[in-house]
């Protein structure tokens, strides 16, 4: 069956359609199996909670960055979509800049011979707010940077942890 035919059959919103009912039941089975797995596997619950917390942290950070908070201002859906996309772009740029700063500091510590623990790095969040001046002087510098930013951790295995005596 072609995808066009399948979509046409499912698109008529007929609850009497056998294909619609079959997919609805399949969805219910998948949802039940997933729920049972969540209840029986603590590791899966921890993973779901961690991913959910990351998404909520990003949304909280981007909401904090939004000037005017939840106020979008217009009833025009195109305008609202632009505001939301700009806000997410702004949040991603701020997160990228913070991640580059964290990378520079970790590489600098490793270059000086200090041990850098990857577990410690994993606890550092790029959603830092105290370094951002939301209502301050915003300067847009469109000139290219003098040197490319370092985007990787240059840590050798011997530098990751302090040598044990």
């Amino acid at each position: 069956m072609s995808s066009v035919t399948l979509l046409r059959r499912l698109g008529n919103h007929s609850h009497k359609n056998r294909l619609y009912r079959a997919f609805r039941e399949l969805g219910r089975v998948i949802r039940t199996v997933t729920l049972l797995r969540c209840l029986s596997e603590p590791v899966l619950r921890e993973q779901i909670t961690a991913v959910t917390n990351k998404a909520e942290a990003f949304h909280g950070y981007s909401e904090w960055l939004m000037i005017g908070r939840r106020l979008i201002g217009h009833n025009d859906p195109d305008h609202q979509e632009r505001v939301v996309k700009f806000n997410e772009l702004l949040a991603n740029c701020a997160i990228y800049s913070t991640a580059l700063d964290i990378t520079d500091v970790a590489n600098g510590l490793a270059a000086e011979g200090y041990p850098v623990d990857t577990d410690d790095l994993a606890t550092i969040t790029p959603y830092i707010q105290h370094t951002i001046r939301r209502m301050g002087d915003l300067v847009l510098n469109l000139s290219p940077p003098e040197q490319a930013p370092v985007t990787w951790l240059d840590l050798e295995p011997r530098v990751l942890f302090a040598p044990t005596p």
Side-chain angles (χ1 to χ4, degrees), residues 106-120:
N107 284 336
L109 287 172
E112 292 175 14
Y114 293 102
V116 178
D117 188 357
T118 55
D119 291 335
D120 290 339

Side-chain angles (χ1 to χ4, degrees), residues 58-59 61-63 65-66 85-98 126-127 132:
F58 174 78
H59 291 302
Y61 186 68
S62 64
E63 182 180 329
L65 278 174
M66 181 177 271
K85 285 183 178 181
F86 172 77
N87 188 49
E88 287 189 0
L89 176 65
L90 179 66
N92 283 321
C93 288
I95 291 167
Y96 181 69
S97 176
T98 304
Y127 305 132
I132 297 176

Side-chain angles (χ1 to χ4, degrees), residues 31-88:
R31 186 172 52 225
T32 303
V33 169
T34 303
L35 181 61
L36 290 173
R37 280 189 61 212
C38 272
L39 293 174
S40 64
E41 297 178 21
V43 175
L44 180 63
R45 280 196 309 270
E46 289 175 9
Q47 289 174 342
I48 291 172
T49 301
V51 170
T52 303
N53 288 343
K54 285 180 184 179
E56 290 300 321
F58 174 78
H59 291 302
Y61 186 68
S62 64
E63 182 180 329
W64 177 81
L65 278 174
M66 181 177 271
I67 297 174
R69 300 290 170 137
R70 294 177 182 250
L71 183 67
I72 293 188
H74 291 78
N75 287 333
D76 179 20
D78 293 332
H79 176 74
Q80 291 175 346
E81 184 179 2
R82 279 190 296 248
V83 168
V84 169
K85 285 183 178 181
F86 172 77
N87 188 49
E88 287 189 0

Side-chain angles (χ1 to χ4, degrees), residues 1-12 17 19-20 23:
M1 179 181 296
S2 73
S3 59
V4 173
T5 307
L6 179 64
L7 289 174
R8 188 176 300 129
R9 283 192 179 179
L10 292 176
N12 62 10
N17 186 330
L19 190 58
Y20 172 84
F23 276 127

Side-chain angles (χ1 to χ4, degrees), residues 9 22 31 50 53 68 86 88 101 123 150 158-159 164:
R9 283 192 179 179
R31 186 172 52 225
N53 288 343
F86 172 77
E88 287 189 0
D101 293 342
T123 62
V150 177
R158 63 178 169 72
V159 178
T164 55

